[in-house]
Amino acid sequence: MDSAGRVLDSYQSPIGVYITMEPRLVNLISPSRLGRGRYWLRYEVVTEREDLDPTVVLKAPAVRDSVQVVVP
């Protein structure tokens, strides 16, 4: 999101976790799409999956966080 609250990009992908891990998720945004300024990177990880039967998915609380990014 930019400082005006506009969503500039969105990314959604299923991720499976079978062992303890510290994943690195990458989403590249072209530098030409971002001007100088402050942006918020927000993410949410949830256990709901449309492609799997809900009875076979381990339920867990959603994880949400954000970090501010400054483009000089």
Side-chain angles (χ1 to χ4, degrees), residues 3-25:
S3 59
R6 291 183 297 255
V7 175
L8 301 177
D9 199 3
S10 178
Y11 175 77
Q12 181 177 344
S13 176
I15 181 171
V17 178
Y18 303 98
I19 59 173
T20 301
M21 62 183 277
E22 295 182 28
R24 176 179 175 204
L25 303 176

Side-chain angles (χ1 to χ4, degrees), residues 13-61:
S13 176
I15 181 171
V17 178
Y18 303 98
I19 59 173
T20 301
M21 62 183 277
E22 295 182 28
R24 176 179 175 204
L25 303 176
V26 177
N27 185 9
L28 298 176
I29 300 174
S30 170
S32 62
R33 292 191 57 201
L34 299 178
R36 298 170 84 166
R38 297 178 185 274
Y39 299 88
W40 283 98
L41 173 61
R42 298 188 322 178
Y43 69 87
E44 176 182 44
V45 179
V46 296
T47 59
E48 291 98 21
R49 297 267 307 258
E50 294 179 5
D51 60 329
L52 296 175
D53 183 338
T55 61
V56 300
V57 177
L58 180 63
K59 297 207 182 292

